[in-house]
Amino acid sequence: MRILLVEDDEKIASFILGGLRQSGFAVDHAANGPDGLHLAATEPYCVAIIDVMLPGLDGLQVIEELRRRKIMTPIIILSAKRSVEDRVRGLETGGDDYLSKPFSFAELLARVQALIRRSTSASEPTRLTVGELSMNLLTREVSRGETAVQLQPREFALLEYFMRNPGKVLSKTMIMEHVWDYHFDPQTNLVDVLVCRLRNKIDRDYDRKMLHTLRGVGYVLKE
């Protein structure tokens, strides 16, 4: 699942980005209103987290423009303003939740997960299934057949990517940009190591292998 963060404060952005990525989310970051609006209008996100005080366009202007364009991505508003009037204004503008600074990451994560549950219940499945593999996107539980599979956040994000694209060959570049959020460095073996770890967990004890390597091309998850 991919989240958009629009926050100009470097320390707060680093704090949120680190926490979300450790929790298994892919995250795009914009440090100003115009860039945030562009990303939110052109990329699909499960949730957007938008600060109010932004350079270029403030957060409420970004949200107002997104709603005007009928882009209904769930939005959490971040703000140092704590009054009831400010919260009401943010929600009336089109925000789905409002979190005042300072805040704990645990609370932000809980609100993100709540918005995902709310939005996916009507529009997107909360469980992915490919052959014997099953993934619950809300509880983050994975199993192959009747056997539970314990995954680290990066492994979960990679398997989710494969399970959303069964039978499709995913290149190292695609995986790097989706799971790590940066462009592929041909000198790194991060993708190979992560795929190897995932393969050991979902295929090692089974005669029928699901995760396959296409030399020089990429990887594919088959039923």
Side-chain angles (χ1 to χ4, degrees), residues 3-32:
I3 292 174
L4 173 63
L5 172 65
V6 189
E7 170 62 71
D8 64 320
D9 186 296
E10 291 185 9
K11 289 184 178 180
I12 294 176
S14 178
F15 165 68
I16 296 173
L17 287 168
L20 289 174
R21 287 168 178 163
Q22 287 176 11
S23 299
F25 293 99
V27 191
D28 291 336
H29 174 229
N32 59 65

Side-chain angles (χ1 to χ4, degrees), residues 151-155 192-202:
L151 299 179
Q152 296 298 315
R154 293 282 190 203
E155 296 164 354
D192 303 291
V193 171
L194 186 62
V195 170
C196 182
R197 279 168 33 195
L198 180 61
R199 180 181 280 128
N200 282 338
K201 292 187 177 183
I202 67 171

Side-chain angles (χ1 to χ4, degrees), residues 3-203:
I3 292 174
L4 173 63
L5 172 65
V6 189
E7 170 62 71
D8 64 320
D9 186 296
E10 291 185 9
K11 289 184 178 180
I12 294 176
S14 178
F15 165 68
I16 296 173
L17 287 168
L20 289 174
R21 287 168 178 163
Q22 287 176 11
S23 299
F25 293 99
V27 191
D28 291 336
H29 174 229
N32 59 65
D35 288 349
L37 176 61
H38 173 72
L39 284 173
T42 57
E43 300 289 340
Y45 294 101
C46 59
V47 172
I49 302 169
I50 302 178
D51 184 37
V52 171
M53 301 300 291
L54 294 169
L57 286 173
D58 71 42
L60 297 185
Q61 290 175 308
V62 172
I63 295 168
E64 194 169 34
E65 178 61 19
L66 289 174
R67 297 311 189 221
R68 188 188 69 79
R69 299 186 192 183
K70 308 300 182 185
I71 296 170
M72 304 312 294
T73 302
I75 294 172
I76 298 175
I77 297 172
L78 300 181
S79 178
K81 299 179 179 180
R82 309 174 67 89
S83 72
V84 173
E85 291 79 6
D86 288 317
R87 280 184 285 194
V88 169
R89 184 184 173 209
L91 296 173
E92 287 182 341
T93 299
D96 297 278
D97 200 352
Y98 191 104
L99 186 57
S100 298
K101 300 176 181 179
F103 55 84
S104 71
F105 178 75
E107 181 178 7
L108 175 62
L109 181 60
R111 290 173 184 248
V112 166
Q113 292 170 332
L115 278 185
I116 292 173
R117 284 196 300 271
R118 196 184 311 164
S119 61
T120 56
S121 63
S123 60
E124 191 175 314
T126 58
R127 181 180 293 274
L128 301 176
T129 302
V130 177
E132 297 176 322
L133 278 173
S134 180
M135 170 181 285
N136 188 312
L137 296 171
L138 300 183
T139 64
R140 307 184 72 78
E141 295 173 329
V142 176
S143 62
R144 178 162 179 178
E146 300 298 320
T147 304
V149 180
Q150 303 298 322
L151 299 179
Q152 296 298 315
R154 293 282 190 203
E155 296 164 354
F156 185 95
L158 177 59
L159 182 58
E160 179 187 350
Y161 190 33
F162 277 122
M163 292 183 72
R164 288 185 181 275
N165 297 276
K168 179 179 178 180
V169 178
L170 302 180
S171 68
K172 290 184 179 181
T173 301
M174 294 166 67
I175 292 171
M176 180 68 78
E177 292 183 353
H178 183 89
V179 178
W180 277 275
D181 301 307
Y182 54 80
H183 295 294
F184 180 63
D185 176 358
Q187 302 303 315
T188 185
N189 67 343
L190 281 175
V191 173
D192 303 291
V193 171
L194 186 62
V195 170
C196 182
R197 279 168 33 195
L198 180 61
R199 180 181 280 128
N200 282 338
K201 292 187 177 183
I202 67 171
D203 273 345

